[in-house]
């Protein structure tokens, strides 16, 4: 339980609603900042403006998946107000205050370092990334269906990368009856791709390997689908790039060649915000309960 814990949830999209629901069930006291247009009310959660919150009592701050932008602005889907997370705010919090976010950036890293607080990036955890790959793959399948006039079954799919998303993507398209090839650079990844029953290729051979691809799915956050690679693709190929912005595709060259290339960020939040929120809520509630228990023990 989180009885007595004070948490500030700042901004975010529908995924945060699952987090708020779970934390109020665990009896935490919650300040909701950037939610004034939200119709729903949660027992134990109070909508407040940033300047109304007494941060000296806040044990944890929960930011959206995106954290904050490079100017400190936090994304607020349920508010028109500009919410800026500043270094001054973090300085006001107790020393034990932990900040949770999906990902980070130089701004967030800087203010956390200056204020000597702790930042937990949920998406750098393997468990979160693996669970999150499930709605990500469903979103990728949705895009493949929406943007082609042929079935996934029987088509040639090339997946780049065998990380958390690459593996789930390759498995799902294989299960749908596609002819799947996966490109990786580590020998253990090539071995795993073979074990999965799909066709491996080394990324050094990418230009040769992509010939005949109907749908190319990139999960590598590095410019890998270069002009030289795009030049080898059939003109009907659909590129779906799910890697974090700016993706790993030369979009300018794809457009020049007339190849449809889509950057597809935040798929879990689009296709399954409830599940994506529950994934975060489950991990967050565990982490918050552990940190609360540890703090109480050290205070004894
Ligand atoms: P991951 O587990 O770290 O996998 C990344 C893959 O990229 C690994 O196979 C890695 O291979 C490869 N890679 C990285 N840098 C490379 C380079 N310079 N050259 C060749 N290969 C390289 O990450 P993930 O969890 O699968 O996520 C993949 C990407 O998708 C990330 O950018 C993530 O932010 C994004 N993502 C997007 C969505 C969405 O909705 N669009 C959802 C979830 C994740 P090595 O092991 O050899 O380095």
């Amino acid at each position: 339980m989180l009885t007595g814990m004070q948490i500030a949830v700042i901004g975010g999209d529908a995924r945060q609603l699952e987090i708020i629901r779970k934390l109020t069930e665990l009896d935490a006291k919650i300040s909701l900042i950037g939610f004034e247009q939200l119709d729903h009310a949660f027992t134990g959660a109070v909508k407040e403006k940033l300047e109304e919150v007494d941060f000296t009592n806040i044990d944890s701050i929960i930011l959206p998946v995106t954290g904050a932008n490079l100017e400190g602005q936090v994304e607020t889907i349920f508010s028109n107000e500009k919410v800026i997370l500043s270094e001054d705010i973090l300085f006001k919090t107790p020393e034990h205050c932990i900040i949770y976010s999906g990902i980070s950036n130089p701004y967030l890293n800087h203010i956390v370092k200056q204020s000597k607080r702790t930042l937990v990036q949920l998406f750098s955890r393997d468990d979160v990334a693996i669970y999150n790959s499930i709605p990500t793959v469903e979103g990728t399948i949705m895009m493949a269906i929406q943007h082609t006039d042929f079935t996934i079954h029987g088509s040639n799919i090339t997946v780049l990368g065998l990380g958390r998303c690459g593996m789930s993507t390759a498995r799902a398209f294989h299960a749908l009856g596609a002819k799947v090839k996966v490109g990786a650079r580590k020998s253990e990844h090539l071995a795993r791709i073979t074990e999965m029953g799909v066709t491996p290729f080394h990324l050094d051979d990418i230009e040769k390997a992509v010939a005949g691809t109907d749908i190319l799915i990139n999960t590598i956050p590095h410019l890998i689908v270069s002009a030289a690679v795009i030049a080898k693709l059939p003109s009907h190929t659909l590129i779906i790039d799910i890697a974090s912005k700016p993706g790993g595709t030369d979009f300018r060259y794809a457009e020049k060649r007339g190849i449809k290339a889509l950057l597809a960020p935040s798929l879990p939040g689009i296709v399954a915000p409830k599940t994506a929120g529950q994934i975060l809520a489950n991990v967050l509630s565990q982490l918050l309960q552990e940190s609360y228990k540890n703090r109480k023990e050290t205070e004894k």
Side-chain angles (χ1 to χ4, degrees):
M1 293 299 284
L2 295 170
T3 310
M5 193 171 201
Q6 298 241 14
I7 301 172
V9 178
I10 308 182
D13 55 25
R15 287 175 279 189
Q16 301 312 86
L17 306 185
E18 294 302 317
I19 294 173
I20 299 163
R21 197 185 319 278
K22 181 98 183 178
L23 300 185
T24 50
E25 272 169 26
L26 291 169
D27 203 25
K29 278 182 76 179
I30 302 187
S31 296
L32 298 177
I33 301 129
F35 287 90
E36 62 273 10
Q37 289 173 359
L38 178 69
D39 283 338
H40 195 84
F42 294 92
T43 314
V46 185
K47 290 177 195 167
E48 288 178 271
K49 289 199 186 303
L50 193 65
E51 55 279 10
E52 291 167 358
V53 179
D54 179 3
F55 278 94
T56 62
N57 286 327
I58 295 293
D59 300 301
S60 287
I61 295 176
I62 298 176
L63 296 174
V65 162
T66 47
N69 71 13
L70 291 171
E71 284 77 47
Q73 187 172 350
V74 180
E75 184 185 58
T76 51
I77 303 297
F78 298 106
S79 168
N80 288 329
E81 297 213 2
K82 201 171 175 181
V83 175
I84 306 277
L85 182 73
S86 67
E87 200 174 303
D88 290 348
I89 290 176
L90 297 190
F91 268 116
K92 283 183 195 151
T93 60
E95 271 177 29
H96 65 256
C97 179
I98 301 178
I99 296 104
Y100 297 89
S101 128
I103 54 173
S104 189
N105 65 10
Y107 176 87
L108 201 50
N109 291 341
H110 175 74
I111 61 168
V112 167
K113 194 171 168 210
Q114 289 298 107
S115 57
K116 298 196 176 65
R117 298 294 177 263
T118 306
L119 174 69
V120 176
Q121 292 181 57
L122 296 169
F123 279 6
S124 60
R125 292 175 56 98
D126 253 344
D127 51 1
V128 175
I130 292 169
Y131 285 127
N132 203 47
S133 73
I134 301 167
T136 305
V137 171
E138 291 193 12
T140 310
I141 293 170
M142 175 192 77
M143 294 196 71
I145 292 170
Q146 279 175 343
H147 293 277
T148 57
D149 56 4
F150 48 85
T151 57
I152 290 171
H153 184 277
S155 55
N156 292 309
I157 310 280
T158 303
V159 178
L160 302 178
L162 193 79
R164 282 91 42 117
C165 288
M167 189 180 285
S168 305
T169 305
R171 283 215 178 101
F173 279 85
H174 179 54
L176 286 172
K179 287 173 253 165
V180 178
K181 272 186 187 176
V182 184
R185 59 182 175 178
K186 289 184 179 148
S187 62
E188 63 268 33
H189 283 176
L190 297 171
R192 177 61 68 198
I193 295 162
T194 309
E195 176 275 326
M196 286 162 61
V198 296
T199 308
F201 68 89
H202 196 287
L203 285 170
D204 285 349
D205 302 324
I206 184 169
E207 289 175 30
K208 215 167 94 195
V210 297
T213 299
D214 298 310
I215 305 175
L216 176 66
I217 302 164
N218 178 48
T219 75
I220 299 177
H222 169 80
L223 182 57
I224 187 91
V225 189
S226 61
V229 173
I230 294 169
K232 297 289 188 318
L233 292 169
S235 58
H236 73 272
T237 305
L238 169 69
I239 301 174
I240 304 174
D241 194 333
I242 71 157
S244 51
K245 279 180 192 168
T249 302
D250 185 337
F251 289 97
R252 183 204 62 83
Y253 186 74
E255 191 178 357
K256 192 171 171 197
R257 253 214 78 194
I259 287 188
K260 194 187 257 186
L262 308 166
L263 184 63
S266 302
L267 290 171
I270 295 167
V271 296
K274 194 174 176 73
T275 311
Q278 284 165 346
I279 291 166
L280 294 169
N282 289 340
V283 175
L284 254 175
S285 59
Q286 265 178 35
L287 293 176
L288 287 165
Q289 287 180 90
E290 277 166 25
S291 77
Y292 197 37
K293 199 171 136 216
N294 291 342
R295 185 159 61 83
K296 279 186 162 174
E297 273 168 14
T298 50
E299 279 170 6
K300 269 184 196 163

